């Protein structure tokens, strides 16, 4: 009997392990496009926040270019070196801390603040290469791992609801239902139904098709979901662009290499460096752990991620390179879950995202054609899918259930993955210790809890 000869794999397939991950190149490319579309808002939001702290000529455009370069580099090294389908870009939240707390409130020069971001990135890399970050991941109990995944899902869904205006702020109740007749709201709800129906019918590329269908609906109906315009009018009259689509990139000469390392090393900025470090350390670690589990790299009961040192080191390297480019901390994006939901399983997904961010430097007017109301349904649906693992929590054991619940709850309600991970770990260690089950907890987790408690007490504002 003749033994069947396995099909010959391409060099691309062998490098990324596409077939081994039960994926295809087309699926990976589609997943990369989906991830890019759901996180492309960073091209506009990050410059808007940072420009308040960085008063340079043509700040918005220069910061947009720096954002694109940082995202491209971070995603490329994550895909090519770590070979994970996780995209990276300047993180939301940390850019606000950079601008409003460090630069505007504390009066730290923006160049010095960039130096602090660079140093925190160096710490990330050193701890990753020493195995500290993967040791922490291995020490996190399974119930918290699945709770982190579920919490990120709730966070994603909350971001989607907020971006669409379905959930809005309310002075009396903190949050409430938005105006259902507003264009972004009804468009997002329509997109949610369309995308959900496509997923129910198991249509290949359902999330991406849902984003495109919702965008087309916005253009056809003339929905007021574009700043100051509707539909394709958003492309008209853009100075320096061709047909409202193509625009020459601007080299961010005033930002690249402007960081001040000597100033950042002063003792007075130690708390700033440590805050950047602590927040992003646990934010990124929680994000990467949740995404790894969602992508199937962390099976039930498994502690170690493949290529963990490279994975975490690339996160730190991206932060360093982003600071040199002139932006706040670059980190893994939870929106990568949308590409994973689309089938992305290998580094080719992240490399695709990197290529699209580079392309966006030339096509950035076109990127504005995808409104937030079109990507919001993708975030909500992916968030729903990430709840699946919560069934694995031992809900009958309060020492497992309460920390998992707090992890799940704190992420969307405090708008921080780091807070969710932190309070989950603190409550887990405290409950186990006081209930006589302290030996079930890894010593590494106790050390982590002590550091977190120190951070909240010593570095609290």
């Amino acid at each position: 009997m003749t033994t069947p000869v396995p099909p010959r794999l391409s060099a691309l397939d062998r490098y990324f392990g596409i077939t081994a991950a039960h994926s295809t190149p087309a699926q990976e490319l589609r997943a990369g496009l989906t991830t890019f579309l759901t996180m492309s808002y960073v091209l506009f939001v990050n410059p808007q926040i940072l420009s308040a702290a960085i008063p340079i000529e043509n700040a918005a455009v220069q910061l947009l270019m720096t954002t694109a370069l940082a995202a491209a580099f971070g995603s490329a090294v994550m895909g090519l070196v770590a070979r994970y389908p996780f995209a990276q870009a300047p993180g939301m939240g940390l850019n606000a801390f950079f601008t409003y707390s460090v630069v505007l409130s504390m009066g730290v020069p923006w160049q010095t603040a960039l130096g602090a971001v660079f140093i925190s990135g160096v710490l990330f890399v050193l701890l990753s290469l020493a195995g500290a970050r993967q040791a922490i991941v291995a020490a996190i109990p399974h119930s918290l791992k699945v709770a982190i995944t579920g919490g990120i899902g709730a966070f994603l869904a909350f971001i989607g609801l907020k971006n669409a205006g379905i959930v809005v702020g309310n002075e009396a109740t903190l949050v409430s239902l938005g105006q259902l007749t507003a264009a972004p709201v009804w468009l997002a709800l329509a997109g949610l139904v369309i995308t959900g129906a496509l997923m129910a019918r198991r249509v290949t590329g359902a999330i991406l098709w849902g984003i495109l269908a919702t965008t087309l609906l916005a253009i056809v109906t003339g929905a007021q979901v574009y700043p100051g315009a509707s539909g394709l009018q958003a492309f008209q009259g853009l100075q320096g662009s061709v047909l409202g689509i193509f625009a020459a990139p601007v080299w961010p000469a005033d930002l690249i290499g402007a960081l001040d390392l000597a100033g950042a090393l002063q003792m007075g900025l130690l708390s700033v460096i440590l805050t950047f470090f602590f927040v992003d350390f646990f934010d990124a670690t929680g994000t990467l752990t949740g995404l790894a589990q969602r992508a199937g790299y962390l099976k039930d009961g498994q502690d170690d991620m493949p290529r963990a040192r490279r994975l975490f080191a690339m996160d730190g390297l991206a932060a360093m390179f982003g600071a040199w480019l002139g932006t706040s901390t670059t980190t893994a994006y939870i929106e990568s879950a949308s590409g994973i939901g689309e089938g992305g399983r290998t580094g080719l997904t992240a490399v695709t995202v990197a290529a699209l961010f580079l392309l966006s430097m030339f096509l950035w007017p076109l990127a504005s054609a995808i409104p937030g109301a079109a990507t919001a349904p993708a975030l909500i649906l992916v968030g729903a899918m990430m709840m699946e693992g919560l069934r694995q929590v031992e809900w009958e054991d309060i020492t497992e259930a309460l920390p998992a619940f707090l992890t799940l709850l704190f992420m969307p309600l405090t708008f921080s993955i780091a807070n969710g991970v932190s309070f989950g770990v603190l409550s887990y260690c405290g409950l186990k210790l006081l209930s006589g089950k302290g030996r079930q907890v890894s010593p590494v987790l106790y050390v982590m809890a002590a550091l977190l408690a120190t951070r909240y007490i010593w570095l609290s504002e």
Side-chain angles (χ1 to χ4, degrees), residues 143-144 147 390 393 395 400-411:
S143 60
L144 286 188
L390 291 174
V393 177
W395 293 106
E400 298 284 338
L402 182 57
F405 178 70
L406 291 177
T407 300
L408 174 68
L409 199 64
F410 268 64
M411 288 190 191

Side-chain angles (χ1 to χ4, degrees), residues 43-297:
L43 290 169
F44 309 100
V45 178
N46 193 54
Q48 181 182 17
I49 293 174
L50 292 182
S51 60
I54 304 179
I56 58 174
E57 184 179 355
N58 206 10
V61 176
Q62 288 200 59
L63 283 166
L64 186 147
M65 297 300 156
T66 286
T67 301
L69 287 170
F73 177 84
S75 300
V77 295
M78 185 63 76
L80 292 172
V81 181
R83 286 178 284 170
Y84 275 87
F86 309 152
Q88 300 195 90
M92 297 294 109
L94 280 170
N95 53 9
F97 173 75
F98 178 100
T99 297
Y100 302 111
S101 296
V102 178
V103 177
L104 298 182
S105 295
M106 297 177 62
V108 176
W110 61 269
Q111 298 93 333
T112 305
L114 288 175
V117 172
F118 184 91
I119 295 170
S120 69
V122 173
L123 294 176
F124 295 153
V125 173
L126 292 177
L127 285 176
S128 299
L129 295 178
R133 291 182 76 172
Q134 47 269 46
I136 290 174
V137 173
I140 297 174
H142 184 67
S143 60
L144 286 188
K145 281 191 174 80
V146 296
I148 288 170
T149 305
I152 291 174
F155 192 20
L156 274 174
F158 186 70
I159 291 173
L161 293 169
K162 174 180 173 292
N163 289 349
I166 299 173
V167 172
V168 296
N170 185 297
E171 290 186 3
T173 61
L174 293 183
V175 293
S176 62
L177 183 66
Q179 185 179 355
L180 296 181
T181 56
V185 175
W186 69 254
L187 185 65
L189 292 174
L192 188 61
V193 173
I194 293 171
T195 310
L198 292 173
M199 293 177 68
R201 291 178 173 271
R202 301 185 184 277
V203 174
T204 302
I207 295 177
L208 176 58
W209 287 118
I211 292 173
L212 297 178
T214 309
T215 300
L216 180 62
L217 181 62
I219 293 173
V220 170
T221 60
Q224 296 292 326
V225 292
Y226 299 94
S230 63
L232 292 176
Q233 293 176 356
F235 297 116
Q236 304 302 318
L238 290 174
Q239 186 175 3
S241 65
V242 180
L243 300 177
I245 295 176
F246 302 99
V250 176
W251 186 247
D254 296 327
L255 293 170
I256 291 181
L259 73 172
D260 179 10
L261 292 175
L265 289 171
Q266 296 176 5
M267 288 300 295
L269 290 184
L270 179 61
S271 63
V272 174
I273 295 173
L274 289 178
T275 299
F276 276 126
F277 171 76
F278 272 110
V279 173
D280 190 53
F281 182 93
F282 293 106
D283 195 324
T285 301
T287 299
L288 291 171
T289 302
L291 292 175
Q293 186 162 29
R294 179 63 188 164
Y297 285 99

Side-chain angles (χ1 to χ4, degrees), residues 8 132-133 139 186 238 299 338 350 371 376 417 422-423 433 442 444 456:
R8 185 178 180 85
R133 291 182 76 172
W186 69 254
L238 290 174
K299 305 295 184 183
S338 63
I417 294 172
S422 299
F423 281 90
L433 190 62
S442 167
V444 174
Y456 280 107

